[in-house]
Amino acid sequence: MRIGLFVTCLTDTLFPGTGQAVVAVLERLGHQVDFPAAQACCGQMHFNTGYRREAVPMARGFTAAFAGYEAVVTPSASCASMVREYYPALAAQARDPGLARAVAEVAPRTYELSVFLTGVLGVTDVGAYFPHRVTYHPSCHSLRMLQVGDAPLRLLRAVRGLDLADLPEADVCCGFGGTFAVKNPDVSAAICADKVAAVRQTGAEVLCAADNSCLMHIGGALDRQRSGVAVMHLAEILARTEDAR
Amino acid sequence: MTAPGAGGLQPGAPPASAPHPGMPTYLGMPSFPVAARAAVADSQLRANLTHATHTIRAKRAGAVAELADWEQLRQAAKEIKDHTLAHLDTYLLRLEANVTRAGGHVHWAADADEANAIVAGLVRSAGADGVVKVKSMATQETGLNEALAADGIGALETDLAELIVQLGHDRPSHILVPAIHRNRAEIREIFRTQMPGAPAGLTDDPQALAAAARAHLRQAFLSASVGVSGANFAIAETGSLVVVESEGNGRMCVTLPRTLISVVGIEKILPSWRDLEVFLALLPRSSTAERMNPYTSTWTGITPGDGPEHFHLVLLDNGRTSALADQTGRQALRCIRCSACLNVCPVYERTGGHAYGSPYPGPIGAIISPLLRGVTSPADASLPYASTLCGACYEVCPVAINIPEVLVHLRAKVVDAKREKTFSPERTIFQLSGWVLRSPRLLAAAQRAAATGGKLVARSGRIRRLPPPLNGWTETRDAPAPPPESFRAWWARTRGTGR
């Protein structure tokens, strides 16, 4: 299968290891991964903050970069839900029939990593080995917009050596919310404080999620407290094997 | 951090006396982030809210799980409301005709001032200088109590929590539980200092507090000549109103006084009794987590020898028709004021209701207030941003209002309303970042610049302090330092440029 990797601007810029991990996992499963260099940002931050006009060219850029791939895979539930759930409305509002057609073609083939692995490829054991205590935060967009269900948990349970700890009140938001974290920093930090307390209660060494944005937020607070809890994207755990640490 | 209790009673608050003071207005409220900052720092408020919202949240989940057809009920409610809103003119005229036929009088109020003037005039012509009220969101929205007070008419709130709020010279902070921000020790203090005739030695035992309120209210019920209510539903086919409540004070207000005035938003209408069945299944479970609420009062005009001799229905627009004209926003008019969205909201749980600057707090308030009032004031322009877009509200909404969708829609309205205005630092940032983020070439250049800049400010891969507007982030969180090599640079170096 010819897979186009949509790495997302955030992961591209700040967390390249996550993109490398996605490539490693998919290639280990025998698939060809391509990184179309024309890709940039999906426009979610602009769209969600009210700058729709500015988001339209980003949607055009996305559809052009990924036209023709059998599947577009991204290590972000949030960006995947932007493409799948909001691009059709954005194209309609922009009164751009060409964009609407391009969206109709690419949006249904755009998958968040855990959905692609479990739902499209039908794989839960990707041959990973990670002998650590891990807890998983289901990001809101993965849970309630994309409805990935327990796909990430099934992948984690199949990782050899991994000790999966239940996160209390897991389905409550971490308080990131994109520009919310900067526009309402006090409320954002107050919500995050409870998420951090829940994470620490599990005794996990690693907090895992399917979105680097939420991990940047919770991880930033964990680091500020010198908690000793690391954050890792799901892909980075799935990429670990006994040979490659 | 404010010490526990410091955010509580204001020692300088004036004592309660007849007529009861109206609730303070919301005009001139600061924007949400400013109001929220103070709320987040109030540890007593935080403790009260955490306890209350978590309790209701868990109970609601249990009550909803009992019904196997919850999703179908939810879908039915959505469709009934959408149908009614699409034919609102027809059903409103039908309601008017049937109320009139049953001996009631219908008044149409375009805005809050008109509604308040109609009510004040009706109270005066009934020869009264005071009214008893059953909790009503519509009259909070119009500021009726303040308007009546300015006319020398006292309004006594008879719902226990509304009484606590009124006696405390406070504002409601929750749609269903207006005094959710108070605990029983604070309530005892309010009763002890503000309630005329409060029993000596009053404790903070809930039964003792309820008994004190009951004694205080009973005389008012028996002597009032005018009652004021809202309505949860108005049934067009018979011209009947429905009030759903838990304490029996509503039943007192709509049956004992000789004159009853009901102020009802035009979106509260349902075509038929058959439609009501769906909502009586959804509303109690969503709001109080009960299978059925204790008191459901319904009335149709007047009945000689039984209940009020005069009945007036004031139908309130106050921004509803402009909300109806908004194709995305109109779904907010389905709202049945259950407050399930408040109880699951991570933002509401930390700020409480006052920060929303409106009688409608929480996620529904963040969309209803700007839809009814527009997005011109700083408070209303900030409300659509008072959300992480986590979607928990949409998940529990019994009428399936896609609140995140409306929030994002309203954010675009806020941005577009300011586009014609002069320089905006935020818009400049978003326009510039828009150019960079749509261009792979500019993005790669920005990544190289960030890697260089990151080396200068980061320690052990973390950034402790960023300049505005990102300083809000680093106040409480470290930021990751940009790595020396972006993903696209790594790919180009190891795999070539691809297509």
Side-chain angles (χ1 to χ4, degrees), chain A residues 153-179:
Chain A
L153 289 169
R154 281 188 283 137
L155 289 161
L156 287 172
R157 284 194 198 104
V159 173
R160 275 177 303 117
L162 191 146
D163 173 16
L164 187 62
D166 280 342
L167 182 66
E169 304 227 347
D171 60 350
V172 175
C173 178
C174 72
F176 170 64
T179 46

Side-chain angles (χ1 to χ4, degrees), chain A residues 206-226:
Chain A
V206 174
L207 170 69
C208 174
D211 272 290
N212 272 331
S213 49
C214 310
L215 285 178
M216 180 172 75
H217 172 67
I218 311 169
L222 286 165
D223 278 355
R224 179 60 60 89
Q225 295 179 15
R226 311 294 190 271

Side-chain angles (χ1 to χ4, degrees), chain B residues 23-362:
Chain B
M23 290 174 194
T25 61
Y26 298 84
L27 285 174
M29 272 293 293
S31 69
F32 184 83
V34 176
R37 185 171 306 138
V40 162
D42 184 337
S43 63
Q44 180 69 72
L45 176 69
R46 293 282 296 280
N48 295 353
L49 284 169
T50 303
H51 174 71
T53 56
H54 282 242
T55 305
I56 306 177
R57 197 183 296 175
K59 281 190 184 170
R60 176 214 159 267
V64 166
E66 287 182 347
L67 294 187
D69 59 349
W70 185 257
E71 275 311 314
Q72 288 96 310
L73 280 167
R74 194 172 176 242
Q75 188 60 29
K78 171 181 184 275
E79 286 171 16
I80 291 167
K81 281 283 186 182
D82 283 349
H83 165 86
T84 312
L85 289 167
H87 302 92
L88 197 55
D89 50 348
T90 307
Y91 290 117
L92 282 169
L93 292 175
R94 192 173 298 170
L95 178 76
E96 180 187 40
N98 288 325
V99 169
T100 308
R101 188 173 302 136
H105 301 273
V106 177
H107 311 259
W108 299 84
D111 57 26
D113 287 344
E114 270 189 36
N116 293 341
I118 291 167
V119 176
L122 291 171
V123 176
R124 281 277 168 247
S125 54
D129 62 1
V131 302
V132 286
K133 284 186 71 197
V134 54
K135 177 175 168 45
S136 138
M137 294 309 297
T139 60
Q140 275 174 29
E141 179 188 319
T142 64
L144 177 65
N145 291 9
E146 295 90 326
L148 290 179
D151 249 350
I153 300 167
L156 177 67
E157 293 289 348
T158 65
D159 172 271
L160 175 57
E162 290 289 355
L163 178 68
I164 293 163
V165 165
Q166 189 175 41
L167 288 174
H169 306 278
D170 198 355
R171 282 181 283 116
S173 70
H174 190 283
I175 292 174
L176 178 79
V177 198
I180 193 171
H181 55 292
R182 299 292 197 194
N183 62 25
R184 53 189 161 125
E186 292 173 292
I187 293 165
R188 168 184 176 267
E189 199 54 23
I190 291 168
F191 280 9
R192 211 177 55 75
T193 58
Q194 307 290 329
M195 184 194 277
L202 179 66
T203 69
D204 66 3
D205 171 50
Q207 283 201 6
L209 294 172
R214 190 172 189 272
H216 174 67
L217 291 170
R218 185 53 51 116
Q219 192 51 44
F221 284 131
L222 293 173
S223 59
S225 59
V226 180
V228 173
S229 85
N232 293 96
F233 306 99
I235 312 293
E237 70 176 347
T238 54
S240 309
L241 296 196
V242 182
V243 162
V244 171
E245 44 122 5
S246 298
E247 298 170 16
N249 62 307
R251 180 72 53 88
M252 299 275 202
C253 283
V254 302
T255 54
L256 288 174
R258 292 177 56 193
T259 298
L260 172 61
I261 306 166
S262 301
V263 183
V264 181
I266 52 174
E267 84 286 18
K268 292 284 149 222
I269 200 161
L270 291 176
S272 69
W273 286 93
R274 192 183 155 87
D275 300 316
L276 181 66
E277 177 204 353
V278 173
F279 293 90
L280 289 185
L282 289 167
L283 179 54
R285 287 176 195 263
S286 297
S287 57
T288 51
E290 291 168 304
R291 292 171 182 158
M292 191 178 179
N293 49 287
Y295 295 89
T296 302
S297 300
T298 75
W299 67 98
T300 308
I302 55 165
T303 306
D306 184 11
E309 295 160 28
H310 311 282
F311 170 60
H312 297 272
L313 171 61
V314 182
L315 287 168
L316 177 70
D317 185 328
N318 205 34
R320 284 160 176 78
T321 49
S322 55
L324 188 59
D326 184 322
Q327 286 188 26
T328 304
R330 66 174 58 138
Q331 58 184 307
L333 295 176
R334 287 184 213 139
C335 176
I336 55 174
R337 313 285 189 252
C338 74
S339 68
C341 63
L342 280 62
N343 301 329
V344 299
C345 177
V347 175
Y348 178 87
E349 184 188 331
R350 274 77 185 183
T351 65
H354 292 161
Y356 292 80
S358 153
Y360 302 112

Side-chain angles (χ1 to χ4, degrees), chain A residues 51 65 183 194 223-224, chain B residues 350 385 426 462 478 499:
Chain A
Y51 292 87
K183 280 178 173 276
D194 292 340
D223 278 355
R224 179 60 60 89
Chain B
R350 274 77 185 183
Y385 294 92
E426 184 191 281
R462 313 301 297 177
D478 287 353
R499 81 172 190 189

Side-chain angles (χ1 to χ4, degrees), chain A residues 144, chain B residues 74 341 344-345 363 390-397 401 403-404 407:
Chain A
R144 283 180 281 265
Chain B
R74 194 172 176 242
C341 63
V344 299
C345 177
C390 84
C393 48
Y394 178 29
E395 198 172 50
V396 298
C397 178
I401 301 169
I403 294 177
L407 285 166

